[in-house]
């Protein structure tokens, strides 16, 4: 899907949902700005996220977002599932994989990859990631960058009150260099 469904912009023709909260899919030509505005900073006004971080931590997150062009190599937008973690991958009747619960948009493929990488993985998943990186042509250091993409999921989890304390600590680790 990530190698055959390229788009010319980031976003989607309508907004969607991530859990019970709206996912803003307004079209954008800049992937860094799309990630910053529509996937990361979008969570700061949510009441549980606002309560989880003090002003200095919110500023650190904003500084990280401002630095995204220096931290992430530009890649073309591709069709993404948007909530691709192992609980949303099922086996179909014929034995093939079936994906459920999408939060679809054209985004960077690493957004999906971060969900698979940063959530609990099956023991034999290393081979999958090696093959994926080779097939998709991921640039060196991709594993180190996945936490930046995973910020969206961590902030969403806080907003939904899912493992909020653990997720807030994970966010603090990621933003620490920007404090």
């Amino acid at each position: 899907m990530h190698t055959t469904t390229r788009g010319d912009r980031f976003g989607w023709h309508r907004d969607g949902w991530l859990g019970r909260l709206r996912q803003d899919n307004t079209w954008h030509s800049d992937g860094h700005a799309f990630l910053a505005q529509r996937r990361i900073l979008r969570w700061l006004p949510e009441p549980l996220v606002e309560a989880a971080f003090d002003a200095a931590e919110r500023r650190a997150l904003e500084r990280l977002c401002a630095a995204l062009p220096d931290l992430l190599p530009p890649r073309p937008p591709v069709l993404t599932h948007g909530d691709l973690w192992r609980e949303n991958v099922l086996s179909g009747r014929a034995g093939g994989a079936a994906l459920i619960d999408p939060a679809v948009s054209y985004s960077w493929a690493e957004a999906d990859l971060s969900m698979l990488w940063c959530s609990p993985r099956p023991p034999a998943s290393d081979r999958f990631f090696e093959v994926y990186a080779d097939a998709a042509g991921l640039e060196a250091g991709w594993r180190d960058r996945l936490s930046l993409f995973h910020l969206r999921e961590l902030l969403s989890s806080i907003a939904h009150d899912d493992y909020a304390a653990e997720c807030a600590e994970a966010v603090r680790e990621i933003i620490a260099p920007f404090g």
Side-chain angles (χ1 to χ4, degrees), residues 91-174:
S91 178
R93 288 187 181 153
L99 303 177
I100 63 167
D101 194 24
V104 175
S105 71
Y106 279 90
S107 187
W108 277 320
E110 289 88 340
D112 277 348
L113 199 58
S114 76
M115 288 292 295
L116 289 171
W117 180 264
C118 296
S119 60
R121 300 187 296 276
S125 66
D126 286 346
R127 179 74 178 127
F128 164 80
F129 289 103
E130 290 170 15
V131 170
Y132 179 94
D134 185 52
L138 294 180
E139 295 181 32
W142 63 268
R143 286 179 180 92
D144 299 328
R145 294 187 295 270
L146 291 181
S147 63
L148 300 174
F149 289 98
H150 203 60
L151 278 168
R152 181 215 54 145
E153 179 61 22
L154 293 169
L155 293 165
S156 167
S157 293
I158 295 166
H160 286 91
D161 204 17
D162 295 335
Y163 309 102
E166 293 172 35
C167 292
E169 281 308 307
V171 169
R172 286 184 186 99
E173 287 179 30
I174 296 168

Side-chain angles (χ1 to χ4, degrees), residues 41-64:
L41 297 175
R42 153 291 165 260
W43 295 104
L44 289 182
E46 293 294 335
L48 294 173
V49 174
E50 191 171 28
F53 301 105
D54 64 25
E57 291 166 329
R58 287 192 293 279
R59 283 191 303 275
L61 192 55
E62 291 166 350
R63 281 191 290 277
L64 180 150

Side-chain angles (χ1 to χ4, degrees), residues 61-84:
L61 192 55
E62 291 166 350
R63 281 191 290 277
L64 180 150
C65 285
L68 286 175
D70 297 324
L71 301 171
L72 300 173
R75 297 197 41 99
V78 298
L79 185 62
T80 60
H81 178 278
D83 193 17
L84 188 59

